Amino acid sequence: MPRRRTSSSSSSSTAPSAAPAAPRNRTPQPVRVRRRSFGDFVKAFLAFAVLLALVVGVPLALAVTVGWPLPDGAPGLDWLQREITVQTFLRILTVIVWLAWAQFTACVLVEVKAALSGVGVPGRVPGSGPSQLLARQLVAALLLVGATAASLTPGLSQLGQSLEGNQKPAVAAAQQTPGLFAQQQEQAASTANALAEQAGQAGQAAARADGGAASAASGDTKYYRIQPPEGRHHDSLWEVADRHLGDGRRYKEIFELNKDRVQPDGSKLSEASLIRPGWIMEMPGDARGGELVEMPDEAPNVSEQVQQQISDYARTGGDHAQGGGGAQGGGDAHVSLPEQRPAPTPATPVTPATPAPGPATGGQHATPAAEESGRSFGLPEALLAAPLLAAGLLGALGRRRRQALWHSALGAVGGRRGMEPPTPTGDAQDAQDALLVGADPDGVRLLDRSLRGLAASLAAESRPLPVVYAAWMGGNGDLHLQLAQPAGKPPTPWQVGQDQTFWMLARADAERYEDAETAAPYPGLVSLGTMDDSRLLLNLEAVPGLVSLSGAEADRAAVFASVAAELATNGWSDRMTITLVGFGDDLTPLAPNRIRHLDGFEDLFETMSAETRQRRGALGAAGHDSVLTGRTGPAQHTRWAPHLVLLAAQPSDEDALRLAELAADAGRLGIGYLVGTEGTDLPGAAWEMEITGDGKLLAPLLGLELEAQLLPAAQQRAVVELFTDADPERGPGGPANTPPFLVDISEQGRPAVYARLVGSYEIIGLDAPDGDRSAQLHEALALLLLHREGVHPRVLASALWPRGVTEDVRDALLERLRAWLGTDPDGTPRLGTDATGRLTLAKSVVSDLDVLRSLYYEATQGRGVDSRQVRGRLLTDALVLVRGPLLADRPEGRYRWLTHEIIDAQLPLLVADTGLALSEFHLERGRAEKAIEALNAALRTAPADERLWHELLRATHATEDADRLRALAADLIGRSGARGLPPRTEALLDELLPTWRDGVAAAG
């Protein structure tokens, strides 16, 4: 019978062999460990020499050559009147050198303490700057022979650790690190040696192993014991799979074999990234490596206690223990952060491993950057899978189009562009539809309100904002914040998450938040991708250094474009500056006030050096430690706005060093750096990520494996085209004022189906549909009537079912809608499909909005141009159609898609222009009362249009009734409230009614 194989804390391969029943995996395969090269020892020696010269040699040289520079006693007044000699200057310089030496020595002590204790980011010596960076590099080189250089680099996960947690025995103690990210920092030489001794003590006397327990399991079963840190990163399932299965991605197989089994310390493995030193892992049958082949009766370094633990663990396996390696990879892994199950109590801390589980199959995920032509039902998948990015882009696009309408109405551009935004075509149309389908405005609103509500609650308790490294938005709507370190009990309704470094807010609690009058606390959060059903947002401005991104150039560009676009348009940032370096396509049209492009590194260094100095000075003058303490207090100012730098270009070695020095203090200044690299070795990189060709965003040392959020080049160009076409500054060369659909307004053009949308919703020409389906059918028809250019079926489905719907339900609704609308006399269905697959209405289905647009167009650009009589009749007919706001009586909870439309801005402008044109027509004939009647009719739909009030004042003045004009002026003043009248209205009143201010003073 084959015996159960184990691993110890040692990787010894010298144990005697016994003849096994199965010959597989008999030869020990030692783990490959990088040995220190001669160059490493040379570097360490040189670092030691430099440190010795600077820390010991400098004070000795000063003591011998200059002596003590300060006076021996208290100086008298005559000391101030003495002549300044060369000796005086030398003493002053000596004092400066002594101070510089003291500062550098303090930096060395701080760096050595941080390296040996493993507490994470070293304490910052005030005013040190380059001195501390030099000390860090020298100490790192000196300790290179005992630990890797990464052990001295501030890591994300390590920042959450406590000193006591690092000093506990690694086999038994769970580290207090954030549950998302793995332990990135290594222990320095002395700590590594101590842990190695503990590991050695834990693996003794294999000859005393329990032979009965060794043969208890059937099949060729192997085990591995999770190792404590020994001069390297904490052990993890990814590393175990990489060493013993040949592929780190096979960690899922190990997870499936050991999930929910009781470990020696009484806890269970429930998340693939949450493991502890001392746990035992059953391994697949094809596992290889020296740490696995040691059998209990052949491994002298395995203690009896460990053998008993393995034996007990084998009994918990049930079906898992039968036939080792039976579990297959590919099972659904679980996200390590936003848990769908109750989080562990703080009394049972968890320790993350290096990798996080991979994403589950299914759902919508981003496609690789190389697959730019990839579509999902005709729409770009990258935008469909980015709900927060899509919502930001859609909101910004709507604001841009409204701005263009207002510019058009006020004649701000040198030519009238018209009230109709351009109808996108081709890739731009697909991009717009994808934005409409993929956008999650509710998620953006909840995220924004939750973060601002948290800031307001902490301010009310006089507590500072904690440093947040990441946020997770779970599929159930819960929000998880990962803190750099424990920050006490969160304010209600926030709760402690899986440990003290997580704060969690349930969706139900978030929905009760109201808008808070406070600054956005974490504007640097940006989506990177999804893991299972959760979306990760990384806070780039909180990174203690650089974030590097490696991978193919096209893939990196897709990530950079996604990050830049979301930062430029997101809804949870008040102010933001985004500096782009090395971007081929100009993203400025997305947000001209936020985005700026720089030509190269020299421009970047000049700009960012000046801003870094300015921010340091501003923080010091305000008495703040970081931007967080100044962002939500009474001293809110634009200086606390984040500045995020995205460098898509590969920096040279010299530029990389300069960049690392520039970013050394960026975390507390609110400046973030994301740098693209061809390799993985970027000086000063605190976090390292890689984008793969299949759309995975990997950061093994941070425990991340995400389905990356991308914006490939094709979709990037399409999105920029949408914004460029809507630019209000394009001038008279923009689109003409031509409606997308013109109606035959003659008697012969009477429609078969007529819908009234302006005012109460009514339909003429169709039988009332079934009561249960009536509301949905009416809403679907309204959407189609407002988009005569066509509506993608997925856009229609997302409008009617914002939370999602299956295709069969959507198709069933379309069939009912098609049957309800019927066919024309020639047999043509009134609901058809165009060449692109979009749903279109026949010309026999018309709305009053279509007629209104057509009448105004004919009056101002058609037949009415040459005939005053025709123009007056057409404008009068148009104004009669206006019965109130669009869909005035729509039921609550429906027609939420109207928030994405600009019809709420188009309709008032169209009505106002119609009223102004008709007023002008009547005034030309001297019919002031008719002009006033037309203007009042337009004001019922567009009460905020200043142009209508101006024309009403002129028309009223034309009646030569002073009392009536004064009454109108008083009405205007009353409507203006505390803001007062606009300047142009005041100027017009000064001209028409010079005494109007006397009436205001008397009323006041």
Side-chain angles (χ1 to χ4, degrees):
M1 180 179 295
R3 284 173 289 224
R4 190 180 302 113
R5 300 179 180 182
T6 73
S7 74
S8 71
S9 58
S10 160
S11 56
S12 170
S13 58
T14 59
S17 302
R24 294 184 299 162
N25 301 332
R26 291 290 298 151
T27 305
Q29 300 293 329
V31 178
R32 297 180 180 178
V33 180
R34 179 183 178 272
R35 298 183 179 277
R36 303 305 178 198
S37 65
F38 176 75
D40 292 335
F41 287 96
V42 171
K43 291 178 182 178
F45 175 77
L46 293 177
F48 174 76
V50 173
L51 283 173
L52 186 65
L54 293 176
V55 177
V56 180
V58 169
L60 289 178
L62 290 174
V64 173
T65 58
V66 182
W68 185 249
L70 300 178
D72 297 332
L77 294 177
D78 60 335
W79 180 78
L80 299 175
Q81 300 175 354
R82 292 180 184 176
E83 181 181 0
I84 298 177
T85 64
V86 174
Q87 189 65 24
T88 304
F89 276 112
L90 291 177
R91 289 183 178 275
I92 293 174
L93 291 175
T94 303
V95 171
I96 295 175
V97 174
W98 274 106
L99 291 176
W101 169 83
Q103 183 192 59
F104 179 77
T105 303
C107 293
V108 172
L109 294 176
V110 167
E111 294 295 330
V112 171
K113 178 181 179 297
L116 296 181
S117 63
V119 296
V121 170
R124 181 176 175 273
V125 179
S128 59
S131 297
Q132 189 161 5
L133 181 61
L134 175 61
R136 183 176 306 163
Q137 293 173 344
L138 291 174
V139 172
L142 178 61
L143 297 181
L144 188 65
V145 295
T148 65
S151 65
L152 307 176
T153 303
L156 176 58
S157 62
Q158 187 69 17
L159 297 179
Q161 286 189 271
S162 64
L163 177 61
E164 292 76 13
N166 281 290
Q167 292 174 338
K168 293 178 181 179
V171 175
Q175 305 295 321
Q176 298 291 331
T177 44
L180 162 66
F181 298 102
Q183 178 73 27
Q184 183 189 7
Q185 251 191 331
E186 300 176 354
Q187 305 299 334
S190 60
T191 305
N193 293 335
L195 293 175
E197 293 178 3
Q198 296 172 3
Q201 294 172 2
Q204 295 178 353
R208 295 173 292 175
D210 185 354
S215 58
S218 62
D220 191 15
T221 307
K222 306 168 188 176
Y223 292 89
Y224 177 84
R225 191 162 180 264
I226 302 301
Q227 302 302 299
E230 298 183 43
R232 58 178 173 83
H233 300 294
H234 280 218
D235 214 347
S236 65
L237 294 187
W238 181 291
E239 291 180 340
V240 173
D242 186 57
R243 290 197 304 269
H244 302 298
L245 300 176
D247 185 358
R249 297 175 188 269
R250 293 186 63 188
Y251 71 88
K252 297 179 183 179
E253 300 178 36
I254 306 176
F255 173 72
E256 291 297 332
L257 282 171
N258 298 275
K259 182 174 66 174
D260 296 329
R261 296 171 64 178
V262 179
Q263 292 291 336
D265 61 1
S267 55
K268 298 180 180 180
L269 174 67
S270 59
E271 301 292 345
S273 63
L274 306 181
I275 62 175
R276 305 182 186 178
W279 280 9
I280 297 167
M281 295 289 119
E282 182 178 335
M283 299 293 291
D286 62 339
R288 302 289 191 274
E291 296 179 356
L292 291 166
V293 300
E294 297 171 348
M295 296 185 180
D297 56 351
E298 299 174 352
N301 292 326
V302 178
S303 67
E304 184 177 354
Q305 178 185 5
V306 172
Q307 291 301 324
Q308 185 62 45
Q309 290 176 352
I310 295 173
S311 177
D312 294 340
Y313 184 75
R315 300 189 186 101
T316 68
D319 293 338
H320 286 295
Q322 304 299 322
Q328 300 298 321
D332 289 345
H334 298 275
V335 64
S336 64
L337 219 176
E339 296 178 291
Q340 306 301 321
R341 299 174 295 280
T345 61
T348 310
V350 292
T351 300
T354 295
T361 58
Q364 293 179 350
H365 298 296
T367 56
E371 298 178 6
E372 295 178 357
S373 61
R375 293 288 189 270
S376 177
F377 299 98
L379 301 180
E381 182 74 21
L383 294 174
L384 293 173
L388 303 185
L389 169 61
L393 289 171
L394 201 58
L397 182 60
R399 291 190 295 271
R400 182 69 55 82
R401 287 174 171 171
R402 286 180 173 84
Q403 187 181 9
L405 287 174
W406 296 329
H407 275 244
S408 172
L410 299 176
V413 185
R416 192 63 185 272
R417 297 185 63 228
M419 291 164 295
E420 302 299 333
T423 301
T425 59
D427 289 343
Q429 186 179 22
D430 289 342
Q432 178 175 273
D433 287 342
L435 294 178
L436 290 168
V437 174
D440 182 15
D442 286 341
V444 173
R445 177 179 56 85
L446 289 177
L447 177 62
D448 183 43
R449 287 185 174 181
S450 300
L451 296 177
R452 293 181 194 268
L454 174 63
S457 300
L458 291 172
E461 299 176 8
S462 299
R463 295 172 59 187
L465 284 169
V467 177
V468 169
Y469 280 153
W472 283 88
M473 296 186 68
N476 58 358
D478 294 347
L479 176 62
H480 299 249
L481 297 182
Q482 179 170 349
L483 314 183
Q485 56 189 4
K489 182 180 179 181
T492 307
W494 289 79
Q495 305 173 13
V496 174
Q498 64 188 63
D499 62 34
Q500 296 296 323
T501 60
F502 288 98
W503 286 1
M504 188 272 290
L505 180 67
R507 182 186 179 94
D509 294 328
E511 290 177 341
R512 289 194 286 268
Y513 265 123
E514 300 292 338
D515 292 333
E517 294 295 331
T518 186
Y522 304 111
L525 286 169
V526 64
S527 304
L528 290 185
T530 58
M531 185 187 299
D532 287 348
D533 199 23
S534 298
R535 182 166 301 276
L536 169 69
L537 293 91
L538 205 61
N539 190 6
L540 289 178
E541 69 165 339
V543 180
L546 305 175
V547 179
S548 68
L549 177 68
S550 61
E553 183 177 0
D555 299 324
R556 297 201 316 264
V559 175
F560 275 106
S562 170
V563 170
E566 184 170 296
L567 289 173
T569 61
N570 71 50
W572 54 88
S573 300
D574 293 327
R575 303 177 306 274
M576 175 79 65
T577 300
I578 306 164
T579 296
L580 306 180
V581 181
F583 278 71
D585 294 329
D586 193 352
L587 295 173
T588 303
L590 302 184
N593 296 329
R594 286 191 175 188
I595 296 179
R596 66 178 178 183
H597 283 255
L598 295 180
D599 294 333
F601 285 96
E602 290 303 323
D603 292 341
L604 175 67
F605 290 134
E606 180 180 355
T607 300
M608 297 311 301
S609 296
E611 180 163 346
T612 299
R613 289 192 301 270
Q614 187 271 336
R615 290 200 175 210
R616 282 175 179 160
L619 283 175
H624 296 304
D625 295 330
S626 71
V627 295
L628 288 179
T629 57
R631 182 168 286 158
T632 57
Q636 294 181 22
H637 192 270
T638 55
R639 69 169 72 99
W640 314 126
H643 187 164
L644 301 175
V645 180
L646 307 181
L647 295 94
Q650 168 76 32
S652 65
D653 293 342
E654 180 181 356
D655 289 337
L657 291 174
R658 294 171 63 189
L659 194 61
E661 182 177 348
L662 190 63
D665 198 27
R668 73 183 191 93
L669 300 178
I671 303 175
Y673 294 87
L674 178 61
V675 185
T677 63
E678 296 177 357
T680 57
D681 297 328
L682 181 69
W687 304 341
E688 296 180 348
M689 299 184 295
E690 176 188 1
I691 178 66
T692 66
D694 58 351
K696 294 290 194 302
L697 188 67
L698 306 177
L701 297 183
L702 301 180
L704 292 177
E705 181 184 350
L706 305 173
E707 289 288 340
Q709 178 172 297
L710 307 173
L711 186 59
Q715 282 80 64
Q716 179 184 339
R717 289 190 295 268
V719 168
V720 171
E721 180 182 342
L722 289 173
F723 280 80
T724 302
D725 289 344
D727 187 359
E729 302 296 334
R730 293 188 67 193
N737 183 22
T738 302
F741 177 70
L742 291 175
V743 177
D744 182 0
I745 56 178
S746 65
E747 286 297 328
Q748 292 74 21
R750 186 177 298 274
V753 178
Y754 182 68
R756 291 178 176 175
L757 303 179
V758 184
S760 300
Y761 192 3
E762 301 176 14
I763 298 179
I764 301 172
L766 291 177
D767 296 332
D770 178 65
D772 295 337
R773 309 292 185 183
S774 177
Q776 273 189 341
L777 292 175
H778 278 74
E779 186 174 358
L781 179 57
L783 177 62
L784 291 168
L785 286 168
L786 292 177
H787 290 278
R788 301 305 303 236
E789 72 278 7
V791 177
H792 196 285
R794 296 195 66 182
V795 174
L796 179 66
S798 66
L800 299 180
W801 295 280
R803 295 184 178 273
V805 67
T806 58
E807 292 184 28
D808 57 335
V809 175
R810 179 195 68 195
D811 294 342
L813 173 74
L814 292 180
E815 288 303 318
R816 283 192 293 269
L817 181 61
R818 188 173 284 108
W820 180 45
L821 291 176
T823 60
D824 286 334
D826 61 357
T828 303
R830 291 171 182 155
L831 177 62
T833 304
D834 65 9
T836 65
R838 289 174 171 81
L839 302 169
T840 58
L841 292 174
K843 291 184 177 181
S844 59
V845 182
V846 172
S847 73
D848 55 355
L849 185 58
D850 297 327
V851 177
L852 176 59
R853 285 169 167 160
S854 300
L855 288 170
Y856 178 77
Y857 177 78
E858 282 294 324
T860 58
Q861 300 182 50
R863 291 177 296 159
V865 174
D866 300 324
S867 173
R868 288 176 49 84
Q869 183 179 2
V870 172
R871 182 167 72 254
R873 178 174 56 82
L874 292 174
L875 291 173
T876 301
D877 291 345
L879 208 55
V880 169
L881 294 175
V882 180
R883 301 176 298 120
L886 185 75
L887 298 170
D889 57 351
R890 57 181 179 265
E892 185 178 359
R894 289 199 172 273
Y895 299 89
R896 297 177 65 181
W897 47 269
L898 281 172
T899 58
H900 299 317
E901 307 283 341
I902 63 168
I903 186 62
D904 60 335
Q906 286 178 282
L907 179 60
L909 284 176
L910 177 60
V911 172
D913 280 357
T914 304
L916 289 170
L918 186 57
S919 172
E920 180 183 3
F921 170 79
H922 288 305
L923 287 176
E924 289 176 354
R925 296 289 186 92
R927 298 193 292 246
E929 293 295 339
K930 288 287 186 180
I932 292 173
E933 181 182 345
L935 292 168
N936 282 327
L939 280 168
R940 285 192 287 271
T941 299
D945 197 310
E946 188 180 359
R947 300 171 303 158
L948 291 174
W949 290 104
H950 289 175
E951 289 305 309
L952 186 59
L953 284 171
R954 293 189 179 97
T956 305
H957 180 265
T959 64
E960 298 182 353
D961 187 341
D963 292 337
R964 189 174 179 181
L965 183 59
R966 276 192 291 270
L968 178 59
D971 185 28
L972 266 176
I973 294 169
R975 290 173 181 270
S976 64
R979 295 177 300 174
L981 293 173
R984 285 182 292 188
T985 305
E986 288 188 356
L988 181 60
L989 283 173
D990 287 337
E991 177 187 350
L992 302 179
L993 187 64
T995 61
W996 74 275
R997 297 181 188 275
D998 298 335
V1000 174

